[in-house]
Amino acid sequence: RSLYISGNELQAMPLSTLTLPLKDFRCEGNLFHPLLWLEHEHNTPQKLSVVCRLTARQFNIAVKPGQDGTKPEREGNCDCCQLPLLDHGYRMIKASRPRTHNTSKLPFLYHVCSTKCYEDLEEELCQAYSRKT
């Protein structure tokens, strides 16, 4: 199987591409340079209602959907704790393991639900990357 994404101006690859059984992967002409990663993460502070729901979830306090005035949960799960994302969460772009799909330092986009998960995932990825190199 092959995947060619050349010239699409992608900032990062979706995390689901790690599970694809690819033999050939080409990605020239995209915006994959590390200097652009911070610009494309573009995180904004979470609403107070979302922070309250995260805290309630952390301490196993039941809150009915819509009871706190927030929208339903966003589709998808946190890439750190695997719980459903609330609102938009935070985005993180990090380089892949060395030689993922025969390409070095391919950027992947992670979605996390809270600052704690952001820090935990960043630490986990740094440790995994230092072990692989």
Side-chain angles (χ1 to χ4, degrees):
R1 293 187 169 177
S2 301
L3 179 63
Y4 303 108
I5 56 165
S6 300
N8 287 314
E9 296 185 11
L10 297 173
Q11 296 88 18
M13 297 295 299
L15 202 54
S16 59
T17 56
L18 282 173
T19 60
L20 296 175
L22 298 176
K23 292 183 181 181
D24 189 21
F25 180 77
R26 295 188 190 158
C27 61
E28 297 86 22
N30 292 298
L31 304 175
F32 285 166
H33 196 277
L35 292 175
L36 301 173
W37 294 354
L38 287 177
E39 178 182 335
H40 296 299
E41 284 181 357
H42 191 64
N43 289 316
T44 57
Q46 290 182 319
K47 297 176 186 174
L48 181 59
S49 58
V50 174
V51 174
C52 291
R53 288 181 72 190
L54 286 169
T55 305
R57 185 167 68 182
Q58 180 181 0
F59 291 104
N60 295 322
I61 300 170
V63 177
K64 294 178 185 174
Q67 180 181 2
D68 56 1
T70 60
K71 295 182 220 171
E73 296 175 349
R74 181 178 179 261
E75 277 192 40
N77 292 337
C78 174
D79 291 323
C80 181
C81 67
Q82 304 305 316
L83 292 172
L85 287 172
L86 305 174
D87 199 32
H88 55 77
Y90 293 105
R91 295 164 43 124
M92 178 191 323
I93 298 176
K94 291 292 177 186
S96 65
R97 301 181 297 272
R99 308 306 300 169
T100 300
H101 296 312
N102 295 324
T103 306
S104 62
K105 294 189 178 181
L106 188 62
F108 284 94
L109 178 63
Y110 296 86
H111 290 279
V112 293
C113 63
S114 65
T115 54
K116 181 185 181 317
C117 283
Y118 188 98
E119 292 167 358
D120 290 350
L121 186 62
E122 189 168 37
E123 182 180 329
E124 180 182 323
L125 291 172
C126 285
Q127 288 175 357
Y129 191 76
S130 64
R131 282 193 305 261
K132 299 283 182 183
T133 56

